[in-house]
Amino acid sequence: MDKKLNRDTLCVQAGWSPKKGEPRVVPICQSTTFKYDTSEQMARLFDLEESGYFYTRLQNPTNDAVAAKIAALEGGVGAMLTASGQAANFYAVFNICEAGDHVVCSSTVYGGTYNLFAVTLKKLGIGCTFVDAGQPEEELDKAFRPNTKALFGETISNPGGDVLDIEKFARTAHRHGVPLIVDNTFATPINCRPFEWGADIVTHSTTKYMDGHAVSVGGAIVDSGNFDWEAHAGKFPGLTAPDPSYHGLTYTKAFGRMAYITKATAQLMRDLGSTQSPQNAFLLNLGLETLHLRMPRHCGNAQRVAEWLEAHPKVKWVNYCGLKSSKYYELGRKYLPDGSCGVIAFGLDGSREDAVRFMDRLKFICIVTHVADARTCVLHPASHTHRQLSDEQLREAGVAPDLIRLSVGIENAEDILSDLEQALEGM
């Protein structure tokens, strides 16, 4: 598929080009394994000498078609689907890190990602320093060490709604000879393509806007193919030195710009699993086909709701980069000129208990853990998704105790506002 096609067309057409007599829609290859005529054919697949299918944990035709669509949307050379967004972020980092290494991460990332980096990776011997993404570059530089292997951030932070200065982060990462990994879940490639601003690897929780209907959990890693691993060979031996588990194959030499994503598939997915099921990939593809139609509606509705909340006397503060009052307004105009996402962070003029009472009064706007699907929903992170963090950690992560995360769906905007209004009137 021609990557120069408009993103709207790629949403519908990329990843699957049926031949004569083949299904028009991406088929579900619901099989664990695939048959070959000779032992030699299978051996060449196991040695990575040929591309093909032999076990769904490593590759599956349905998954590969959907991964190719996501890679085309982001402008990358290749992608890999994972069982969840958390698995994608873990694999993206673990693919280039090992015990004794270190990463630098924006402090305002999603609470689950924060815990992954601060607690779980630490158990594996990988350290992490969290930084204020708004700091000048010279301050960000201080967080890097000789053993730092990556810089990580979110295009739009979850749940705070902060916008990442991708170019600044990319310059900083490259100055230290490491890749910039950006979680682009909230913006999606419809509203921002981080590779165009210097990022090297992109991750997604496809569970969110890409699926769009809250029916399938999944994740994706996309490689730009632009980071020169050989130029920093000493830092990344997993890619630039022989892999004993594949008869001494060196990924950068064997696969060139596809080295990173090939290693993630052939080594990490082989050893750790976390494969997305073909059924979930099929459902994800259905969501991707309308992503370019849904995102403008999410953004348009969210802009109206954010402006309404900002003007309401019972609302203390609102963070949405589409508001001129937002400190991220200019960054939003730079990186997200066509709209950001449907997620708004705001706080009421009251206590944490008032936030809970407000949510309990809502009617069709539901309290759910999920975010970024077709239905408007709400969450109080301090009580739910981030409850494992202390108050100090909450502040470091940019999550105020009174923060309410409102994920604006694609319903009629007037109905959304009416539900919010009746809930606030009873406060």
Side-chain angles (χ1 to χ4, degrees):
M1 184 64 64
D2 187 352
K3 292 183 181 179
K4 294 181 181 178
L5 290 172
N6 189 285
R7 272 170 271 190
D8 295 7
T9 303
L10 292 174
C11 280
V12 181
Q13 295 283 351
W16 174 248
S17 299
K19 301 178 180 65
K20 181 180 178 180
E22 290 185 334
R24 183 67 184 89
V25 177
V26 176
I28 306 172
C29 295
Q30 194 65 46
S31 178
T32 61
T33 193
F34 302 85
K35 182 256 185 186
Y36 287 87
D37 293 330
T38 70
S39 178
E40 176 62 22
Q41 290 173 337
M42 183 74 76
R44 291 182 67 82
L45 293 174
F46 271 97
D47 287 343
L48 303 182
E49 294 175 354
E50 289 183 4
S51 179
Y53 303 101
F54 54 92
Y55 199 63
T56 283
R57 187 173 79 245
L58 282 90
Q59 285 183 289
N60 176 282
T62 307
N63 291 31
D64 280 4
V66 181
K69 176 176 285 189
I70 293 172
L73 284 168
E74 285 286 8
V77 296
M80 179 182 79
L81 299 188
T82 61
S84 68
Q86 281 295 90
N89 285 338
F90 171 61
Y91 281 15
V93 171
F94 198 59
N95 199 35
I96 51 177
C97 289
E98 58 186 43
D101 288 341
H102 174 258
V103 297
V104 178
C105 180
S106 168
S107 62
T108 58
V109 294
Y110 164 62
T113 306
Y114 187 101
N115 197 69
L116 169 67
F117 288 1
V119 178
T120 303
L121 285 183
K122 184 178 180 180
K123 293 177 181 178
L124 297 176
I126 301 169
C128 181
T129 298
F130 293 95
V131 295
D132 177 355
Q135 292 181 114
E137 292 181 48
E138 55 269 23
E139 290 299 315
L140 294 175
D141 285 336
K142 297 177 182 178
F144 286 77
R145 305 172 184 172
N147 60 337
T148 300
K149 297 298 178 68
L151 176 60
F152 188 98
E154 295 174 344
T155 309
I156 304 171
S157 70
N158 177 14
D162 300 358
V163 178
L164 184 70
D165 190 340
I166 302 172
E167 281 193 314
K168 181 179 76 173
F169 258 47
R171 285 193 303 269
T172 303
H174 297 159
R175 195 161 51 247
H176 293 274
V178 303
L180 170 60
I181 305 173
V182 174
D183 184 329
N184 199 35
T185 296
F186 274 8
T188 82
I190 299 303
N191 287 339
C192 181
R193 299 213 290 185
F195 294 155
E196 296 175 353
W197 301 99
D200 302 290
I201 298 154
V202 159
T203 63
H204 284 277
S205 172
T206 62
T207 317
K208 311 304 190 298
Y209 287 122
M210 283 189 166
D211 167 78
H213 303 86
V215 294
S216 60
V217 174
I221 304 172
V222 189
D223 183 13
S224 69
N226 294 332
F227 191 81
D228 190 346
W229 305 104
E230 287 284 352
H232 309 282
K235 274 184 174 288
F236 305 104
L239 287 162
T240 62
D243 180 355
S245 70
Y246 279 109
H247 309 296
L249 174 147
T250 299
Y251 293 99
T252 51
K253 289 181 171 58
F255 301 105
R257 296 182 70 202
M258 289 286 289
Y260 174 90
I261 206 69
T262 301
K263 178 178 179 290
T265 303
Q267 189 186 86
L268 296 191
M269 197 62 80
R270 176 197 64 189
D271 295 347
L272 300 174
S274 298
T275 309
Q276 187 168 148
S277 74
Q279 178 71 50
N280 276 1
F282 175 82
L283 294 170
L284 167 59
N285 188 60
L286 294 182
L288 287 168
E289 289 182 352
T290 61
L291 182 63
H292 63 295
L293 301 175
R294 290 182 284 105
M295 287 309 294
R297 176 73 171 216
H298 280 291
C299 295
N301 279 356
Q303 185 68 31
R304 283 196 63 188
V305 171
E307 292 172 358
W308 184 87
L309 287 170
E310 189 173 48
H312 200 285
K314 292 185 179 180
V315 175
K316 187 175 182 180
W317 59 271
V318 182
N319 187 21
Y320 185 71
C321 69
L323 297 174
K324 292 184 178 179
S325 60
S326 170
K327 68 178 183 178
Y328 299 103
Y329 180 71
E330 292 302 328
L331 283 177
R333 290 182 65 188
K334 175 179 178 178
Y335 294 115
L336 307 153
D338 297 322
S340 57
C341 66
V343 182
I344 301 167
F346 71 99
L348 300 179
D349 191 7
S351 64
R352 180 187 293 208
E353 290 71 27
D354 288 327
V356 172
R357 281 195 293 271
F358 158 74
M359 293 191 298
D360 288 346
R361 287 183 55 82
L362 292 166
K363 295 181 178 179
F364 78 81
I365 299 175
C366 296
I367 303 171
V368 299
T369 304
H370 202 240
V371 65
D373 65 58
R375 305 163 189 84
T376 300
C377 55
V378 69
L379 188 78
H380 184 231
S383 300
H384 305 130
T385 55
H386 289 61
R387 66 179 298 118
Q388 76 275 17
L389 303 183
S390 66
D391 286 348
E392 181 180 353
Q393 288 175 320
L394 282 170
R395 286 190 291 271
E396 289 177 357
V399 181
D402 63 341
L403 186 152
I404 296 170
R405 184 184 72 184
L406 179 67
S407 180
V408 180
I410 59 175
E411 306 94 343
N412 184 281
E414 293 299 328
D415 292 334
I416 298 171
L417 292 174
S418 293
D419 198 10
L420 293 170
E421 185 170 27
Q422 66 80 25
L424 286 170
E425 282 178 354
M427 298 293 296

